[in-house]
Amino acid sequence: MDAKGFEVRFISELKGRGVFANKSFKSGDTIFEELPVVCCQFSWNIAYKYAACNFCMRPLETTQDNVRRLSGQKALVLPYPECCPTDSSSHAGQTDGLEYCLESVPDAAWRQFHQTLCVGTEADCQSHPLQRLDEAWRQMHFPPETASVMLIAQMIATVRQAEDPEAAINILSFCHRSRSEEQQLAHKLLGDQFTSQVDLLRQLLIEALYADCVQQWLTPDGFVSLLALVGTNAQGVGTSPLSMWVSRVAALPLCPEDRANIDTFIDGLYDTLHEEGGVAEVGQFLNNEGAGLYALQSRCNHSCRPNVEVTFPHNSSRLVVVATQDILPGEEVCISYLDECVLARSRHSRHRLLRENYLFVCTCPKCELEAGDPDETSEESDNDSNSSEQD
């Protein structure tokens, strides 16, 4: 990996592996790009008619169709249609109710997992155990979603279709935790009805996808391990024909008057979508939302002062890790497992969330520097209390 400017190194039994720079990077440089091992759209996002390729998450709606649907304004006309990122001619159509784009090549999905996940005709789909699995998951996880059981289904299907199933399992083995840690993470993902929910999901997966090569994942302990893996390693993926259209419009060489007019139009459009249109009524979705498992990105450790960020500039599931500051050779490449607003909170709050969701205590430079700070502020206590009550 030296030629790429980074390498994966073993750090310790506690931290496992990490990604380290082998050369200097400037802020804004791309560290690496990566396609997911598996990736899928969230179940509720699909249910609310957010059209994305089932293989690469690329949007399948034009920007105008997207904002018409979300705003409820069927006659809305977007200016600068040439900035729309969706080429309707690249839409390959549906396969068993799942949509694909030509750029992703439906054959690639078929070769990796779709042959196993194929549910046949629409009539067959209604009673298929995979459909019942998806419905059961939706009833357990109302928006906002952070994972999907269909990601696990894709993992199982990928192993079943692999020429070397054992090698495929090794690729998908992102982390190793104790049984008690895995139980804790799975319980966090599924909530108070943990035991009955785990058993229902596992039985439906067995009915739909059992094979000898994946039997270790379908035992009670093996399935809990998969839930823990997805809960801690799934990377959120968001794509949007609207955001890409906005970015392309921003790059147009417009005169000041035209720039002011389009900026006003875009601000008004977002206000409509958030306050008056359909977004408020469909789970607060604005984008196509899903999750993926990335072999290299999953090796990047957390820091409360990260030096890189995960981006999706291709408007698909292709992940790009970009430096947010200068990085010297030998420095570890660190992302944040927490969102930006949480990173601004106290060390105590960050540690609490990291312990609850990832089962570790952060010892990054920022946390070490703040070791003597008060445990929490009153404002954070109120927010935490309100969040607990909502949960």
Side-chain angles (χ1 to χ4, degrees), residues 113 208 225 337 355 383:
F113 59 81
S225 295
Y337 298 170
R355 282 195 303 269
N383 290 338

Side-chain angles (χ1 to χ4, degrees), residues 140 186-198 388 391:
M140 297 173 190
H187 191 285
K188 177 74 175 179
L189 184 63
L190 293 177
D192 293 337
Q193 303 301 315
F194 167 72
T195 303
S196 61
Q197 290 179 339
V198 165
S388 298
D391 294 342

Side-chain angles (χ1 to χ4, degrees), residues 98-270:
L98 299 174
E99 297 184 286
Y100 293 93
C101 68
L102 283 177
E103 285 196 53
S104 292
V105 189
D107 285 349
W110 180 264
R111 290 193 304 271
Q112 181 181 334
F113 59 81
H114 186 66
Q115 183 177 359
T116 299
L117 299 183
C118 177
V119 298
T121 66
E122 185 175 351
D124 295 333
C125 179
Q126 299 305 314
S127 60
H128 196 282
L130 281 174
Q131 180 65 23
R132 289 187 278 126
L133 174 70
D134 193 37
E135 291 174 356
W137 180 266
R138 284 203 304 272
Q139 295 311 308
M140 297 173 190
H141 295 80
F142 293 97
E145 296 168 277
T146 56
S148 172
V149 73
M150 300 311 293
L151 203 59
I152 293 177
Q154 276 196 17
M155 292 171 65
I156 293 173
T158 296
V159 171
R160 284 188 49 172
Q161 292 186 208
E163 292 184 5
D164 186 345
E166 186 174 345
I169 286 177
N170 289 334
I171 291 173
L172 288 163
S173 298
F174 284 70
C175 61
H176 300 280
R177 296 182 181 272
S178 69
R179 185 173 301 177
S180 62
E181 287 178 326
E182 289 176 340
Q183 289 276 349
Q184 184 176 340
L185 289 167
H187 191 285
K188 177 74 175 179
L189 184 63
L190 293 177
D192 293 337
Q193 303 301 315
F194 167 72
T195 303
S196 61
Q197 290 179 339
V198 165
D199 189 58
L200 172 61
L201 296 173
R202 188 174 70 88
Q203 291 300 327
L204 286 169
L205 274 168
I206 289 172
E207 185 179 348
L209 298 173
Y210 181 84
D212 288 345
C213 62
V214 294
Q215 63 84 24
Q216 69 191 71
W217 277 351
L218 295 174
T219 65
D221 288 340
F223 184 56
V224 167
S225 295
L226 287 184
L227 288 172
L229 184 153
V230 168
T232 54
N233 288 276
Q235 166 67 49
V237 179
T239 63
S240 168
L242 175 57
S243 63
M244 185 62 73
W245 176 84
V246 170
S247 296
R248 291 182 176 184
V249 168
L252 292 175
L254 302 178
C255 68
E257 181 180 359
D258 288 343
R259 176 61 61 194
N261 288 337
I262 191 59
D263 287 346
T264 300
F265 175 85
I266 290 172
D267 289 343
L269 180 59
Y270 275 115

Side-chain angles (χ1 to χ4, degrees), residues 8-14 16-18 20:
V8 176
R9 299 181 196 165
F10 178 77
I11 301 174
S12 67
E13 290 293 338
L14 183 63
R17 297 176 182 271
F20 291 81

Side-chain angles (χ1 to χ4, degrees), residues 41-50 285 287-289:
Q41 195 175 352
F42 290 144
S43 295
W44 279 107
N45 201 253
I46 295 173
Y48 283 120
K49 309 300 183 185
Y50 285 74
F285 297 126
N287 303 330
N288 303 318
E289 296 178 6

Side-chain angles (χ1 to χ4, degrees), residues 323-341:
T324 56
Q325 62 188 57
D326 293 350
I327 300 174
L328 297 175
E331 283 191 63
E332 186 175 6
V333 173
C334 293
I335 61 176
S336 172
Y337 298 170
L338 305 173
D339 61 36
E340 191 172 345
C341 65

